[in-house]
PDB file of all heavy atoms in Angstrom:
ATOM      1  N   ASN A 131     155.804   7.688 178.311  1.00 87.00           N
ATOM      2  CA  ASN A 131     155.832   9.093 177.801  1.00 87.00           C
ATOM      3  C   ASN A 131     155.240   9.272 176.400  1.00 87.00           C
ATOM      4  O   ASN A 131     154.713  10.340 176.035  1.00 87.00           O
ATOM      5  CB  ASN A 131     157.245   9.606 177.912  1.00 87.00           C
ATOM      6  CG  ASN A 131     157.619  10.054 179.269  1.00 87.00           C
ATOM      7  OD1 ASN A 131     156.850   9.820 180.226  1.00 87.00           O
ATOM      8  ND2 ASN A 131     158.815  10.771 179.427  1.00 87.00           N
ATOM      9  N   LEU A 132     155.590   8.204 175.542  1.00 87.00           N
ATOM     10  CA  LEU A 132     154.993   8.225 174.205  1.00 87.00           C
ATOM     11  C   LEU A 132     153.473   8.354 174.239  1.00 87.00           C
ATOM     12  O   LEU A 132     152.902   9.174 173.525  1.00 87.00           O
ATOM     13  CB  LEU A 132     155.470   7.020 173.404  1.00 87.00           C
ATOM     14  CG  LEU A 132     155.494   7.106 171.958  1.00 87.00           C
ATOM     15  CD1 LEU A 132     156.547   8.129 171.430  1.00 87.00           C
ATOM     16  CD2 LEU A 132     155.735   5.693 171.315  1.00 87.00           C
ATOM     17  N   ILE A 133     152.869   7.523 175.084  1.00 89.00           N
ATOM     18  CA  ILE A 133     151.457   7.579 175.203  1.00 89.00           C
ATOM     19  C   ILE A 133     151.037   8.896 175.940  1.00 89.00           C
ATOM     20  O   ILE A 133     150.046   9.567 175.645  1.00 89.00           O
ATOM     21  CB  ILE A 133     150.947   6.457 176.074  1.00 89.00           C
ATOM     22  CG1 ILE A 133     151.312   5.099 175.367  1.00 89.00           C
ATOM     23  CG2 ILE A 133     149.364   6.563 176.292  1.00 89.00           C
ATOM     24  CD1 ILE A 133     150.667   4.950 173.983  1.00 89.00           C
ATOM     25  N   GLY A 134     151.870   9.306 176.910  1.00 87.00           N
ATOM     26  CA  GLY A 134     151.567  10.549 177.530  1.00 87.00           C
ATOM     27  C   GLY A 134     151.574  11.798 176.679  1.00 87.00           C
ATOM     28  O   GLY A 134     150.951  12.797 176.998  1.00 87.00           O
ATOM     29  N   GLY A 135     152.301  11.673 175.551  1.00 88.00           N
ATOM     30  CA  GLY A 135     152.316  12.780 174.580  1.00 88.00           C
ATOM     31  C   GLY A 135     150.941  12.995 173.992  1.00 88.00           C
ATOM     32  O   GLY A 135     150.573  14.180 173.617  1.00 88.00           O
ATOM     33  N   VAL A 136     150.125  12.008 174.020  1.00 91.00           N
ATOM     34  CA  VAL A 136     148.732  12.175 173.467  1.00 91.00           C
ATOM     35  C   VAL A 136     147.960  13.054 174.461  1.00 91.00           C
ATOM     36  O   VAL A 136     147.305  14.039 174.041  1.00 91.00           O
ATOM     37  CB  VAL A 136     147.939  10.780 173.458  1.00 91.00           C
ATOM     38  CG1 VAL A 136     146.506  10.980 173.141  1.00 91.00           C
ATOM     39  CG2 VAL A 136     148.702   9.858 172.525  1.00 91.00           C
ATOM     40  N   TYR A 137     148.155  12.905 175.691  1.00 90.00           N
ATOM     41  CA  TYR A 137     147.416  13.810 176.713  1.00 90.00           C
ATOM     42  C   TYR A 137     148.086  15.170 176.645  1.00 90.00           C
ATOM     43  O   TYR A 137     147.348  16.133 176.869  1.00 90.00           O
ATOM     44  CB  TYR A 137     147.562  13.098 178.089  1.00 90.00           C
ATOM     45  CG  TYR A 137     146.797  11.809 178.158  1.00 90.00           C
ATOM     46  CD1 TYR A 137     147.484  10.645 178.056  1.00 90.00           C
ATOM     47  CD2 TYR A 137     145.480  11.723 178.298  1.00 90.00           C
ATOM     48  CE1 TYR A 137     146.824   9.388 178.142  1.00 90.00           C
ATOM     49  CE2 TYR A 137     144.703  10.510 178.445  1.00 90.00           C
ATOM     50  CZ  TYR A 137     145.520   9.365 178.263  1.00 90.00           C
ATOM     51  OH  TYR A 137     144.738   8.120 178.340  1.00 90.00           O
ATOM     52  N   MET A 138     149.369  15.212 176.507  1.00 86.00           N
ATOM     53  CA  MET A 138     149.983  16.485 176.492  1.00 86.00           C
ATOM     54  C   MET A 138     149.479  17.378 175.338  1.00 86.00           C
ATOM     55  O   MET A 138     149.272  18.526 175.507  1.00 86.00           O
ATOM     56  CB  MET A 138     151.585  16.346 176.289  1.00 86.00           C
ATOM     57  CG  MET A 138     152.289  17.669 176.396  1.00 86.00           C
ATOM     58  SD  MET A 138     154.118  17.420 176.206  1.00 86.00           S
ATOM     59  CE  MET A 138     154.289  17.300 174.444  1.00 86.00           C
ATOM     60  N   ALA A 139     149.205  16.711 174.288  1.00 89.00           N
ATOM     61  CA  ALA A 139     148.741  17.409 173.119  1.00 89.00           C
ATOM     62  C   ALA A 139     147.192  17.740 173.131  1.00 89.00           C
ATOM     63  O   ALA A 139     146.797  18.887 172.602  1.00 89.00           O
ATOM     64  CB  ALA A 139     149.040  16.636 171.748  1.00 89.00           C
ATOM     65  N   ALA A 254     157.475  12.136 174.207  1.00 84.00           N
ATOM     66  CA  ALA A 254     156.241  12.866 174.290  1.00 84.00           C
ATOM     67  C   ALA A 254     156.052  13.852 173.144  1.00 84.00           C
ATOM     68  O   ALA A 254     154.920  13.846 172.598  1.00 84.00           O
ATOM     69  CB  ALA A 254     156.047  13.465 175.627  1.00 84.00           C
ATOM     70  N   THR A 257     154.912  12.086 169.814  1.00 87.00           N
ATOM     71  CA  THR A 257     153.471  11.716 169.740  1.00 87.00           C
ATOM     72  C   THR A 257     152.577  12.926 169.608  1.00 87.00           C
ATOM     73  O   THR A 257     151.555  12.964 168.874  1.00 87.00           O
ATOM     74  CB  THR A 257     153.134  10.895 171.067  1.00 87.00           C
ATOM     75  OG1 THR A 257     154.164   9.923 171.353  1.00 87.00           O
ATOM     76  CG2 THR A 257     151.752  10.294 170.824  1.00 87.00           C
ATOM     77  N   SER A 258     152.960  14.037 170.437  1.00 85.00           N
ATOM     78  CA  SER A 258     152.184  15.221 170.362  1.00 85.00           C
ATOM     79  C   SER A 258     152.076  15.788 168.950  1.00 85.00           C
ATOM     80  O   SER A 258     151.061  16.185 168.389  1.00 85.00           O
ATOM     81  CB  SER A 258     152.692  16.297 171.377  1.00 85.00           C
ATOM     82  OG  SER A 258     152.563  15.810 172.629  1.00 85.00           O
TER      83      SER A 258
END
Side-chain angles (χ1 to χ4, degrees):
N131 275 10
L132 201 67
I133 301 299
V136 174
Y137 296 97
M138 185 181 81
T257 313
S258 298

